[in-house]
Amino acid sequence: MNDYVKRVIESTKTKYAHEPEFIQAVEEVLTSVEPLVDAHPEYEKYDLLNRIIEPERMFTFRVVWMDDNGQYHTNTGYRFQFNGAIGPYKGGLRFQKNVYPGIIKFLGFEQIFKNSLTGLPIGGAKGGSDFDPQGKSDAEIMRFCQAFMQGLYRYIGPDIDVPAGDMGVGGREIGYLYGEYRRLKGAFENGVLTGKGMSYGGSLIRPEATGYGAVYYLLNVLDHFGDKLEGKVIVASGYGNVTWGLCKKAAQLGAKVVTISGRDGYIYDEDGVSTDEKINYLLEMRASTKGSIRDYAEKFNVPFFPGEKPWGVNGDIVMPCATQNEVGMKEAEKIVASGAKYYIEVSNMSTEAAAQAYLKDKLTVAPSKAVNAGGVATSALEMCQNSERMSWTAEEVDQRLEDIMDHIYQVSVEAAEKYGLGYDLVAGANLAGFEKVAEAMVEQGVF
Ligand code: GLU
């Protein structure tokens, strides 16, 4: 192993022992870019690796909000502005009980390379809060979002940092966040947030973009093997925005998603989550904030597996869409035994490190930072529309999204080949994403 890479990984493990997700993300990226570091001895002189794993700026802020009974509650707000070398900081906000610095940090770090891969001018950031949206009323969500923006608004802007949604933050939350930003700034700067509603500057196709983009990426992989999407069976997890977009595009192209999952278990729908009624029901489930997948089983009369995950269900393509590290070694073994040929990560860092290595050995693996980049790419298209003060048609946005996903696939394949790694989509995505950011950092001088 390259000595500089090795030393930086070792010191990361010591320094951030309390942030295992961040260590995992750093290790994957730095191991992948080793041939690039070998080829660029100047990286060490400029200490590029330690600089790229050190966020340019990260801060927390106090968020105090009132519940419907008049009781006040205090949460931590986070925004980590990781790397701005190629554009304004860009990345989602996650509202989830388990949020702590290690989660925001791994997500922000991944976002640097994901955003770079899109070919668009966006830097990497992430933020959020340990606020738990489960079971909160609409008024409580609004008050929380307003309080959150009060802590954040001074530090963001259309040319500074442009937050968006992630888990627990959808169109409704973005609306409340933007309303508060506008009130505080006294200006209509709607390029400050993406994932907005259509009435105030949102982009068509943004809600579908992550799921659609994942399918566009997948089409490239299938094409590489002379294979087709039509007739394929997809085993997926999750039931939120990403899974919804995936089901919709898969259905349009003649493939079926046979499993979806929630915190209470998974359902198996032999006919696929394919009709408009079923696909729209996912939106209803999400809006209900109950987080229960059993409702789907009851409504459509399909088997429900309480407390279980869908890994091991027979299918051609496995697509985890729920959260980080949802597939560990045990799950990976079941996936291999199920006969699946393609493992396409969709949720950020879906797979534990050892499980990913095992899967790479047995089947074709695509990494989340490439596969799910269609979401943030379409956010960048939303920013373009906002600065042009106009909106593009759904067809136009969709076509650009497809082109961007093809580009991401192409540059990943080419980067892996260039460094003698063959058809390695994981290493290729890291190499291609890293190279552009590194070049910008070197050209801009040391800081
Ligand atoms: N949270 C999404 C992601 O993980 C979207 C970020 C954005 O649109 O800025 O990439």
Side-chain angles (χ1 to χ4, degrees):
M1 188 186 256
N2 176 293
D3 193 55
Y4 180 39
V5 169
K6 197 170 144 190
R7 274 184 279 125
V8 175
I9 291 178
E10 285 316 312
S11 65
T12 305
K13 283 183 177 165
T14 315
K15 189 168 173 187
Y16 300 109
H18 53 295
E19 294 176 352
E21 297 86 356
F22 181 55
I23 294 174
Q24 185 183 339
V26 167
E27 210 171 355
E28 185 200 296
V29 172
L30 295 196
T31 315
S32 294
V33 302
E34 236 191 292
L36 190 66
V37 180
D38 283 338
H40 289 272
E42 76 277 15
Y43 284 0
E44 182 169 359
K45 178 175 162 199
Y46 298 133
D47 202 19
L48 198 101
L49 299 186
N50 280 313
R51 284 163 60 208
I52 216 162
I53 64 169
E54 182 70 37
E56 289 183 6
R57 187 175 303 105
M58 53 181 180
F59 51 89
T60 69
F61 47 96
R62 186 199 294 148
V63 186
V64 190
W65 55 281
M66 191 180 75
D67 72 19
D68 290 342
N69 300 318
Q71 172 67 48
Y72 285 95
H73 300 271
T74 307
N75 286 97
T76 310
Y78 297 91
R79 189 69 180 166
F80 290 6
Q81 299 172 333
F82 225 116
N83 194 298
I86 64 166
Y89 305 110
K90 181 88 197 84
L93 298 171
R94 178 175 292 192
F95 292 170
Q96 205 175 35
K97 210 164 47 185
N98 68 357
V99 162
Y100 82 106
I103 299 253
I104 303 299
K105 234 161 121 190
F106 108 72
L107 289 165
F109 185 70
E110 289 285 282
Q111 202 83 39
I112 304 172
F113 311 105
K114 177 199 308 201
N115 293 5
S116 164
L117 263 178
T118 66
L120 302 168
I122 38 180
K126 206 82 187 189
S129 177
D130 56 357
F131 171 73
D132 181 9
Q134 290 290 323
K136 300 292 188 295
S137 72
D138 190 63
E140 288 170 335
I141 297 282
M142 182 175 78
R143 288 192 294 269
F144 178 80
C145 289
Q146 290 174 338
F148 186 89
M149 187 51 84
Q150 285 158 21
L152 185 63
Y153 83 100
R154 288 171 203 282
Y155 311 107
I156 60 175
D159 297 316
I160 302 169
D161 180 0
V162 183
D166 196 82
M167 296 169 77
V169 179
R172 173 179 63 165
E173 289 74 17
I174 293 294
Y176 294 146
L177 289 164
Y178 180 63
E180 188 64 13
Y181 179 85
R182 187 169 72 78
R183 172 158 62 178
L184 292 164
K185 293 286 288 216
F188 195 85
E189 291 173 1
N190 64 351
V192 70
L193 289 167
T194 61
K196 298 181 292 291
M198 287 309 297
S199 57
Y200 62 100
S203 174
L204 291 165
I205 307 294
R206 176 62 188 92
E208 291 87 348
T210 310
Y212 278 23
V215 176
Y216 295 146
Y217 183 98
L218 169 64
L219 289 173
N220 281 286
V221 178
L222 293 168
D223 195 48
H224 173 84
F225 291 100
D227 212 344
K228 285 206 153 28
L229 183 62
E230 205 182 334
K232 289 280 186 295
V233 172
I234 300 173
V235 174
S237 60
Y239 71 98
N241 170 261
V242 177
T243 312
W244 166 75
L246 167 65
C247 291
K248 214 170 151 176
K249 186 49 85 181
Q252 280 171 21
L253 299 180
K256 56 183 185 182
V257 176
V258 294
T259 59
I260 57 173
S261 68
R263 60 185 60 198
D264 56 334
Y266 82 91
I267 62 96
Y268 175 72
D269 187 339
E270 200 184 350
D271 300 329
V273 185
S274 302
T275 61
D276 284 351
E277 193 193 0
K278 288 175 178 174
I279 293 169
N280 291 335
Y281 189 67
L282 298 193
L283 296 179
E284 252 177 72
M285 281 168 44
R286 182 150 44 105
S288 87
T289 76
K290 255 171 56 193
S292 147
I293 203 84
R294 184 192 290 269
D295 296 358
Y296 183 101
E298 281 166 10
K299 184 163 169 77
F300 297 107
N301 200 20
V302 299
F304 171 66
F305 300 86
E308 288 185 48
K309 290 173 171 186
W311 317 125
V313 169
N314 290 343
D316 307 295
I317 304 160
V318 174
M319 300 179 80
C321 302
T323 191
Q324 67 274 0
N325 288 332
E326 49 180 312
V327 172
M329 207 53 198
K330 271 210 310 274
E331 291 82 10
E333 280 167 5
K334 287 188 196 163
I335 288 168
V336 170
S338 78
K341 200 166 164 218
Y342 307 98
Y343 179 76
I344 311 292
E345 292 184 342
V346 191
S347 52
N348 290 311
M349 207 166 76
S350 321
T351 323
E352 286 175 11
Q356 197 201 50
Y358 171 77
L359 287 164
K360 266 181 89 178
D361 207 39
K362 310 272 182 198
L363 29 91
T364 299
V365 174
S368 55
K369 67 167 70 67
V371 175
N372 75 27
V376 73
T378 307
S379 277
L381 300 180
E382 184 173 330
M383 290 162 70
C384 290
Q385 295 169 76
N386 295 155
S387 61
E388 285 182 3
R389 300 248 181 264
M390 63 174 300
S391 39
W392 304 340
T393 63
E395 291 70 30
E396 198 174 347
V397 178
D398 200 11
Q399 187 56 56
R400 284 179 191 253
L401 168 62
E402 192 169 353
D403 293 345
I404 291 165
M405 297 314 297
D406 292 350
H407 164 85
I408 291 171
Y409 174 82
Q410 279 310 329
V411 296
S412 303
V413 169
E414 283 163 20
E417 267 168 18
K418 179 173 161 194
Y419 291 100
L421 300 170
Y423 189 72
D424 185 336
L425 298 171
V426 176
N430 286 315
L431 283 161
F434 189 98
E435 194 163 16
K436 181 179 172 187
V437 176
E439 189 181 317
M441 286 175 73
V442 170
E443 289 185 8
Q444 289 173 33
V446 176
F447 63 95

